[in-house]
Amino acid sequence: MDIQAEINWIHQEIDKVQDPSFVEKLKHLLQSINNTAIDSDAAYNLDIENALGSIKKGNFYTEDQAKEIAKKWGRK
């Protein structure tokens, strides 16, 4: 595996992202990976709070929409 090629691909994909909630989740993921002092229970609870906040704002997919999105995964 060429790690630099993988990192370059990730950078390219991140540059395409327009969803603020995805960016926030990615940021949180990277922070938790890079900071072993983060309490995993607190991180889990924060993820739940963020998810519930997104749902309240109407940022969610119906089951049918999710299935259609999943069908497209890996097909490029």
Side-chain angles (χ1 to χ4, degrees):
M1 169 193 295
D2 180 356
I3 191 73
Q4 192 57 49
E6 295 291 326
I7 291 170
N8 290 340
W9 179 85
I10 292 168
H11 280 228
Q12 291 172 343
E13 293 303 308
I14 290 171
D15 287 340
K16 297 176 191 175
V17 172
Q18 297 297 316
D19 180 358
S21 91
F22 176 81
V23 172
E24 186 63 31
K25 289 173 185 141
L26 182 59
K27 177 181 172 183
H28 181 69
L29 172 67
L30 293 171
Q31 287 172 333
S32 68
I33 290 169
N34 293 325
N35 184 355
T36 57
I38 291 179
D39 178 16
S40 62
D41 288 340
Y44 177 76
N45 289 334
L46 181 60
D47 285 343
I48 292 173
E49 288 176 28
N50 289 337
L52 291 173
S54 290
I55 291 168
K56 286 179 183 176
K57 292 177 186 174
N59 298 329
F60 59 87
Y61 296 106
T62 66
E63 182 179 355
D64 290 336
Q65 290 171 319
K67 286 178 181 177
E68 286 302 313
I69 292 168
K71 285 181 186 177
K72 297 175 185 175
W73 291 347
R75 296 183 184 172
K76 290 189 178 184

